[in-house]
Amino acid sequence: LREPGLNLRVVQLFRDPRAVHNSRLKARQALLRESVQVLRSRHRAEPRGPARHQQQHLLLPPGLLSGGRPPQPQHRAEFFLGGALEVICQSWLRDLLLARRAPDWLRRRYTQLRYEDLVREPRAELRRLLRFAGLTVPPALEDFVLNMTRGAAYSSDRPFLISARDAREAVHAWRERLSRQQVRQVEAACGEAMSILAY
C-alpha cells in the first residue's frame, strides 16, 4: 500500500454473518474443503498455550461438544462450516479494528462495502466505489449492476451460479432458514464485528 509506484486501493466487502452462515450451510458440500483450509489457517496462526481454546466451537450443531468427541458424519460439514465462519469473523474484527486506527495514508486507500448497502442502492454504491478508485461510471456498468441485483429470479439450488436475481430478498433469507439457536450462535461468535458494521 505504501509502494509509490503503485496506486493500490482496497475495497473490503462485508455481509451480515447470519446471511453468510445461511449461504454457507446451503452450499455446505461445495464449501467443505474451503472450510477445512480456513480452520487450518487458524490453527497455524494461534499462539500455543492454554488460552487458545477460549472462544472456539460456538457454531457447532447441538450435542457435538459432549465429551470432546469428533462430529458424526451427518454433522461433519456443519462442524467445519461453523468453525470456519468463526475464524472469518475474527479476521473481520482484526481488519475493522485496524481500519479504525489506520493512519491517513491507509484511510485514503481503503474503504468498506456492506453487501446489503450494495443491494439496496446499487447505483449509488457503484458510483461511490468507482469514485474511490478514481474511475468513471460507464452507463452500461450501471445497467449491469442494477440488472444483477433486481432480476426476476430469487435463488438457485446450484451454489455459485451467477445470475440476475432479486438480491434484496437474499438479504434477509437467513431469517426464514436459520433456527433461533443458529442465529444466537452466529451472533455470539461474530457479535463484536457485527456491532462495528451496524448489523
Side-chain angles (χ1 to χ4, degrees):
L1 283 168
R2 285 192 269 199
E3 169 60 46
L6 295 175
N7 185 16
L8 181 65
R9 305 292 170 104
V10 176
V11 177
Q12 188 168 11
L13 175 66
F14 294 96
R15 188 176 181 197
D16 186 324
R18 295 163 295 199
V20 171
H21 193 53
N22 179 54
S23 292
R24 290 176 65 82
L25 287 173
K26 191 174 176 185
R28 68 183 60 173
Q29 292 307 320
L31 289 172
L32 189 54
R33 180 175 288 172
E34 179 268 349
S35 296
V36 171
Q37 290 172 338
V38 169
L39 286 169
R40 284 183 180 152
S41 74
R42 170 169 63 183
H43 180 69
R44 284 191 301 269
E46 277 180 346
R48 301 284 179 213
R52 61 186 272 218
H53 296 293
Q54 282 179 345
Q55 191 186 6
Q56 290 183 346
H57 309 306
L58 292 175
L59 297 170
L60 303 180
L64 287 187
L65 292 178
S66 55
R69 291 179 302 225
Q72 298 299 314
Q74 67 269 26
H75 294 301
R76 193 171 197 178
E78 194 169 337
F79 174 88
F80 289 121
L81 288 172
L85 181 63
E86 187 177 337
V87 174
I88 290 166
C89 284
Q90 289 168 358
S91 178
W92 284 3
L93 181 59
R94 284 191 304 272
D95 293 344
L96 290 163
L97 294 175
L98 175 67
R100 275 187 168 178
R101 300 184 301 262
D104 286 341
W105 64 264
L106 177 57
R107 288 186 189 181
R108 289 190 300 271
R109 295 180 177 274
Y110 171 85
T111 193
Q112 298 167 351
L113 171 65
R114 293 185 340 155
Y115 171 80
E116 294 78 9
D117 297 334
L118 179 63
V119 164
R120 288 187 190 107
E121 298 290 337
R123 285 184 169 143
E125 287 299 313
L126 177 66
R127 287 187 195 121
R128 180 180 75 82
L129 288 175
L130 292 178
R131 196 169 44 247
F132 166 74
L135 301 171
T136 57
V137 184
L141 188 54
E142 276 196 7
D143 293 343
F144 174 78
V145 76
L146 194 63
N147 177 56
M148 291 303 283
T149 57
R150 297 291 190 273
Y154 162 60
S155 186
S156 166
D157 291 333
R158 291 172 48 201
F160 314 115
L161 176 69
I162 299 173
S163 61
R165 63 180 182 150
D166 190 348
R168 293 169 297 184
E169 291 184 35
V171 167
H172 296 294
W174 62 268
R175 294 174 189 258
E176 298 170 11
R177 295 198 178 112
L178 294 183
S179 69
R180 285 188 178 143
Q181 181 183 7
Q182 288 171 317
V183 170
R184 282 194 299 267
Q185 288 174 328
V186 171
E187 290 172 350
C190 302
E192 206 171 342
M194 290 174 70
S195 177
I196 294 172
L197 291 164
Y199 285 123

